[in-house]
Amino acid sequence: MAARAATLTDVAKEAGVSLATASRALNGSDRVVRAELHDRVLAAATRLGYSPNAQAQSMARGSTDLVGLLVNDIADPYFSTIAAGLANAAEEQGLLVMLCSTAGRPERELELLGALRRQRGRAIVIAGSRTSDRSHLRELSAQIDPFVSSGGRVVAISEPKLQVDTLVVDNRGGARELASEIAALGYRKPAILAGPEQLLVSQDRKAGFAEGWPSAEPVVVADEFSRDGGFRAMHRLLDSGAEVDCVFAINDLMALGAMAACRERDVDVPGDLAVAGFDDISTLRDVTPELTTVRLPLTEMGHMALDLVLGDRTVKPRRRKVRGEVVLRESTPAR
Amino acid sequence: MAARAATLTDVAKEAGVSLATASRALNGSDRVVRAELHDRVLAAATRLGYSPNAQAQSMARGSTDLVGLLVNDIADPYFSTIAAGLANAAEEQGLLVMLCSTAGRPERELELLGALRRQRGRAIVIAGSRTSDRSHLRELSAQIDPFVSSGGRVVAISEPKLQVDTLVVDNRGGARELASEIAALGYRKPAILAGPEQLLVSQDRKAGFAEGWPSAEPVVVADEFSRDGGFRAMHRLLDSGAEVDCVFAINDLMALGAMAACRERDVDVPGDLAVAGFDDISTLRDVTPELTTVRLPLTEMGHMALDLVLGDRTVKPRRRKVRGEVVLRESTPAR
DNA sequence: CTGAAAGCGCTAACAC
DNA sequence: GTGTTAGCGCTTTCAG
């Protein structure tokens, strides 16, 4: 019934003090309030079930305790792990995370970025891969630039395409190393299960793998950046009759789908075909055969992103490189 | 440099109109603004890179576009899938999700709930399981009650322990059915890998399974509610030498850990031991052997939670039951 | 140490 | 149609 939440004015009245005093007592201002009044205010606040209005506080103070997070799909373990790292780091600093998920539609990025900007968070973390779409990039910048020049901060976890601080994932290097390690195991005929053409992660990992492979040009099949995409891509690869002895799926989820497809077609992994992924998603560490992959420190990346975006701002667009570590497991045995 | 973001006043001045007109042009108020002025305002806004201040808007309007989400661990696929469903549903309604993750420390729930309350969101979704800790429950209520009675809305996805709208997951019924279906397959000596004693999910699923099992009392080993917990619990179960032909892990993650432990000890699943889980986490649908489990419509639950919490509020604490569906797969073949 | 009052950026009566 | 103005709940000078 009580349609209205208790305000600071209510508390002040209840405690018989001024608004200013109530404010000072409830939040550690530099001014000190006499112990007796202090207690009276606190008691009144409790009695009224008072909770400060964060919106009003940020208006008055001119700053918020929010940080925005923009991801492609929060259900994807890649992003949810980063989100977890970020949420923890944010919590340590007393910040709240505003979550936006484009649910796989990169067009939505713009709109959601706008929503995040309106919230006037201290910082915005953009965690999805960039695409090669130049006009989209321009539109993003049109949101980002005014936000930044009015004191907002933005960090991207991706390819360094935006003029903002960036946690640059070394996709290319990781894939290159993976390729050469797999080649060293004795494989000769590689295929790549790629994601959507415009996604830079996909391009970079694909290019890196090709670079790292000593001789043959890998066969490439592209599909969605998901378990189902990997499943379909693998089926198409098998249908094509291409002669292949190992498959690099652009991420673990696709690798998972690929292995499922192999199982369905009675292709033995790794007997008939070796499979490798990228990311090292933790829930996938127990699949059989254990998946060779490139480990990314996802949780830590969440932390790092916040550190970067909240850190010293003297240098303008700062880059921080994140390297992956090749983890060879059962799915790519030595031949 | 420009330390200040453009305000509506700036835009109005730039366009040579009044504040009110600028406001009306930028947001579809019921008042109509003459086309020419309208365009002038829009142009000015673009020129200035204007973005409305959501905080100020909510203050003036007296309502926000926020919904809070409180989870135990956003990296856990159970929660991230619910979060994805919720985020999508929220987006459809033009709402933003504020995410808080207790990171496995239920004590933090209180504090985070307070933070969410301060934000004055339209609604708060509490997605973690309740515990049997009565004093904690009371403290939660102390936060929730004033929020609700001042017009806020709260929905829990869990056991109906809080006096708020609740999406009640039928853990007990699901586990009961699972037990009887597994028993019908010919198993005789069950064990349960449970989670922390105080967590009601764990209690309910355990009790349900025991109820559904026709004869023997299942052996119970408890550990953390995670992959590693399942791993350790299974090792302890095997160490104990208990004679067991099937294991019910209280959730899929624990089941995953349990299977990993079996692999390590050369216990064949399902040859030597059948394993079942609960939740039907999507990334785990491809593990081998395929895991028998109870499927929960997690994404949909996110949607439902928002519907429930935003829906008609005439009836006070409403309950909506979510039933799981037993999915028998390779990990529990007929004997 | 305490109180009065001026905003923070915006919306929504209320006038014209 | 458009403009004026009074708040929304809080912090923070500025006086006392």
Side-chain angles (χ1 to χ4, degrees), chain A:
Chain A
M1 299 295 89
R4 213 170 59 66
T7 71
L8 190 56
T9 310
D10 297 336
V11 174
K13 210 164 292 173
E14 170 89 9
V17 300
S18 78
L19 187 58
T21 301
S23 169
R24 295 197 266 253
L26 254 17
N27 325 311
S29 125
D30 42 352
R31 311 292 249 229
V32 186
V33 175
R34 186 157 33 105
E36 187 218 327
L37 288 193
H38 184 96
D39 293 348
R40 236 159 65 198
V41 173
L42 255 58
T46 312
R47 219 171 311 136
L48 265 39
Y50 172 73
S51 155
N53 182 322
Q55 324 256 340
Q57 287 184 313
S58 1
M59 285 222 56
R61 286 205 262 254
S63 83
T64 62
D65 292 342
L66 267 31
V67 351
L69 173 62
L70 187 54
V71 300
N72 283 354
D73 182 4
I74 189 64
D76 180 331
Y78 175 86
F79 291 111
S80 69
T81 311
I82 290 179
L86 183 76
N88 282 145
E91 217 214 283
E92 283 168 18
Q93 315 237 8
L95 302 175
L96 234 47
V97 176
M98 317 228 22
L99 175 67
C100 283
S101 175
T102 59
R105 289 161 296 171
E107 333 73 88
R108 312 274 2 246
E109 252 187 353
L110 250 188
E111 201 171 324
L112 295 177
L113 189 58
L116 250 22
R117 175 144 96 95
R118 281 194 283 281
Q119 294 300 323
R120 297 289 189 272
R122 287 246 260 276
I124 295 180
V125 178
I126 303 179
S129 171
R130 296 302 92 223
T131 70
S132 40
D133 179 344
R134 288 195 126 334
S135 81
H136 183 234
L137 219 51
R138 241 193 322 276
E139 292 176 316
L140 282 180
S141 296
Q143 285 288 338
I144 292 173
D145 294 347
F147 180 73
V148 169
S149 61
S150 64
R153 315 215 37 186
V154 178
V155 63
I157 303 182
S158 62
E159 303 75 27
K161 286 296 171 190
L162 260 13
Q163 293 308 311
V164 300
D165 295 348
T166 305
L167 212 58
V168 184
V169 181
D170 185 16
N171 287 310
R172 190 156 188 149
R176 190 190 305 123
E177 238 177 82
L178 178 67
S180 64
E181 295 212 25
I182 291 178
L185 291 171
Y187 293 90
R188 289 292 164 260
K189 286 160 284 172
I192 297 180
L193 267 32
E197 196 48 57
Q198 345 72 276
L199 273 192
L200 294 182
V201 231
S202 182
Q203 292 181 21
D204 288 353
R205 292 181 183 177
K206 192 169 65 179
F209 193 88
E211 260 172 48
W213 199 268
S215 47
E217 192 67 16
V219 181
V220 177
V221 186
D223 206 300
E224 233 175 47
F225 213 49
S226 65
R227 182 269 180 203
D228 289 349
F231 183 81
R232 285 190 299 261
M234 181 55 108
H235 269 300
R236 270 188 285 132
L237 177 65
L238 294 173
D239 288 342
S240 78
E243 256 191 58
V244 155
D245 60 5
C246 71
V247 166
F248 167 50
I250 233 75
N251 71 5
D252 282 358
L253 246 35
M254 289 192 81
L256 184 67
M259 294 202 292
C262 288
R263 222 171 297 128
E264 214 175 85
R265 309 266 290 236
D266 280 321
V267 172
D268 182 55
V269 175
D272 301 330
L273 191 61
V275 172
F278 204 113
D279 290 344
D280 198 29
I281 297 305
S282 75
T283 43
L284 263 34
R285 286 187 196 147
D286 292 302
V287 301
T288 38
E290 287 176 0
L291 186 62
T292 286
T293 189
V294 179
R295 167 174 302 170
L296 251 27
L298 298 172
T299 306
E300 210 192 317
M301 282 161 59
H303 271 275
M304 288 170 70
L306 196 70
D307 286 350
L308 193 59
V309 82
L310 257 30
D312 171 36
R313 63 192 314 163
T314 47
V315 193
K316 292 305 288 230
R318 287 161 307 156
R319 307 263 126 98
R320 185 135 161 222
K321 199 160 186 172
V322 177
R323 297 179 46 82
E325 178 198 356
V326 174
V327 188
L328 294 176
R329 294 198 273 234
E330 296 169 2
S331 66
T332 57
R335 297 205 93 187

Side-chain angles (χ1 to χ4, degrees), chain B residues 46-301:
Chain B
T46 313
R47 218 170 314 135
L48 264 39
Y50 171 72
S51 156
N53 182 323
Q55 325 256 338
Q57 288 183 313
S58 0
M59 285 224 58
R61 289 206 260 255
S63 83
T64 62
D65 293 341
L66 267 31
V67 350
L69 173 62
L70 187 54
V71 299
N72 283 354
D73 182 4
I74 188 64
D76 180 331
Y78 175 86
F79 292 111
S80 69
T81 310
I82 290 179
L86 183 76
N88 281 145
E91 218 214 284
E92 283 168 20
Q93 316 237 6
L95 302 175
L96 234 47
V97 176
M98 317 228 23
L99 175 67
C100 282
S101 175
T102 59
R105 289 161 296 172
E107 333 74 87
R108 311 278 358 251
E109 252 186 353
L110 250 187
E111 202 171 325
L112 294 177
L113 190 58
L116 251 22
R117 174 144 95 98
R118 281 194 284 280
Q119 295 299 323
R120 298 289 189 273
R122 287 245 261 276
I124 295 180
V125 178
I126 303 179
S129 170
R130 298 301 91 223
T131 70
S132 40
D133 179 343
R134 289 195 124 338
S135 80
H136 183 234
L137 219 50
R138 242 193 323 276
E139 292 176 316
L140 282 180
S141 297
Q143 285 288 338
I144 292 173
D145 294 346
F147 180 72
V148 168
S149 61
S150 65
R153 314 214 37 187
V154 178
V155 63
I157 303 181
S158 62
E159 303 74 26
K161 286 298 172 190
L162 260 13
Q163 292 308 310
V164 300
D165 295 348
T166 305
L167 212 58
V168 184
V169 182
D170 185 16
N171 287 311
R172 192 157 186 147
R176 190 190 306 123
E177 239 178 82
L178 178 68
S180 65
E181 295 212 24
I182 292 178
L185 291 171
Y187 293 90
R188 289 293 164 258
K189 286 161 284 172
I192 298 180
L193 267 32
E197 197 48 58
Q198 346 71 276
L199 273 192
L200 294 182
V201 232
S202 181
Q203 292 181 21
D204 288 352
R205 293 180 182 177
K206 192 169 65 181
F209 192 87
E211 260 171 47
W213 199 269
S215 49
E217 191 66 19
V219 180
V220 177
V221 185
D223 206 300
E224 232 175 48
F225 213 49
S226 66
R227 182 267 179 205
D228 289 349
F231 183 81
R232 284 190 299 261
M234 180 55 108
H235 269 302
R236 270 188 285 133
L237 178 64
L238 294 173
D239 288 342
S240 77
E243 254 191 61
V244 156
D245 60 7
C246 71
V247 167
F248 167 51
I250 233 76
N251 72 3
D252 282 359
L253 246 34
M254 289 192 82
L256 184 67
M259 294 203 292
C262 288
R263 221 171 299 127
E264 213 174 86
R265 307 265 291 236
D266 281 318
V267 172
D268 182 56
V269 175
D272 299 333
L273 192 62
V275 172
F278 204 113
D279 289 344
D280 198 29
I281 296 306
S282 75
T283 44
L284 263 34
R285 287 187 196 146
D286 292 303
V287 299
T288 38
E290 287 177 1
L291 186 62
T292 287
T293 189
V294 179
R295 168 174 301 170
L296 252 27
L298 297 171
T299 306
E300 210 191 318
M301 282 161 60

